Amino acid sequence: MAEFNETLSNTNLSCGAIHQTVRKVLDSINLFRETKIDVKDIEIFLKTCVGDKSRKGKRCKTMWDLTIIIKWAEATHDMTDPQILQRRALILTMIFVALRPAELERMRRETTTFKDNSVHTQVRTKTSGGEIIKVIIRKHPNPRIDAVWALHCWMDYVKTTLKYEYVWFNISERQPAKLQRIKEELVAILRKNGIPDSFPHSR
């Protein structure tokens, strides 16, 4: 177990992720043991060997409250400003589908279709030689934070105003948004809602 923990500690995983991983492995081990490993002993071991020491790649010790963004989305649901339309669609898609900025950038109009209660699209994952995956965005019962409706409103604007087959745009230049621009749009939402610079944007 010590050797396994040391391997985890040499990765970019946070302390919380290491604790969860070790606990899951422990649960699996205990399924096949007559004499169970004492969880309390493991907790002491983790606290001693892992603790809260900083590791390469760990930049935050806490997470910001997601309800901050949900409240913003609810308050801006009836806006017609193109920038807000796009930002709502971006952040709600990221929240409810767990897509990274690089994957959001790879969405295309031609492979994004609307069903009665969902949106179907596909993206290439953020890995070297990433695979193309199908993504389904489900309708949310609260229309004020419904990613399907947010995307529908935004893409209606795109179809009638912009000619490209992209989904996200640099509105001021009327050009498809590059990855950096998408990150800037997402960060703008965080900063507008008082989420400090100590919380970086997604990679």
Side-chain angles (χ1 to χ4, degrees), residues 137-149:
I137 307 169
R138 304 290 183 186
K139 190 173 183 64
H140 194 281
N142 181 354
R144 293 171 180 261
I145 57 172
D146 180 16
V148 173
W149 179 244

Side-chain angles (χ1 to χ4, degrees), residues 82 85-86 89 108-109 150-169 171 174 176:
L85 281 176
Q86 175 168 245
R108 295 293 182 269
R109 278 176 51 200
L151 269 171
H152 185 275
C153 293
W154 168 243
M155 291 185 69
D156 270 355
Y157 174 84
V158 169
K159 290 176 185 177
T160 57
T161 311
L162 304 165
K163 299 178 181 179
Y164 299 95
E165 279 297 320
Y166 289 76
V167 174
W168 315 111
F169 288 83
I171 297 174
R174 300 175 68 85

Side-chain angles (χ1 to χ4, degrees), residues 1-5 8 13 17-33 36-37 39 42 45-46:
M1 180 63 78
E3 190 174 325
F4 173 67
N5 184 68
L8 288 176
L13 292 174
I18 292 177
H19 280 238
Q20 290 179 20
T21 302
V22 171
R23 288 191 191 100
K24 289 181 182 298
V25 172
L26 175 62
D27 290 341
S28 299
I29 292 173
N30 277 341
L31 286 175
F32 302 97
R33 288 175 59 94
K36 308 300 182 186
I37 300 175
V39 176
I42 296 298
F45 170 77
L46 285 170

Side-chain angles (χ1 to χ4, degrees), residues 97 99 111 119-125 131-137:
V97 194
L99 292 179
T111 54
V119 177
H120 296 240
T121 189
Q122 59 185 42
V123 297
R124 188 176 294 278
T125 58
E131 62 177 332
I132 295 177
I133 60 171
K134 293 182 179 179
V135 176
I136 300 177
I137 307 169

Side-chain angles (χ1 to χ4, degrees), residues 8 41 65-66 69 71 91 112 134 137 149 160 167 171 174 183 185 192 196 201:
L8 288 176
D41 291 341
D65 188 352
L66 190 60
I69 300 302
K71 288 179 180 178
I91 198 77
T112 302
K134 293 182 179 179
I137 307 169
W149 179 244
T160 57
V167 174
I171 297 174
R174 300 175 68 85
K183 289 181 178 181
E185 290 294 306
K192 181 178 178 64
H201 56 70

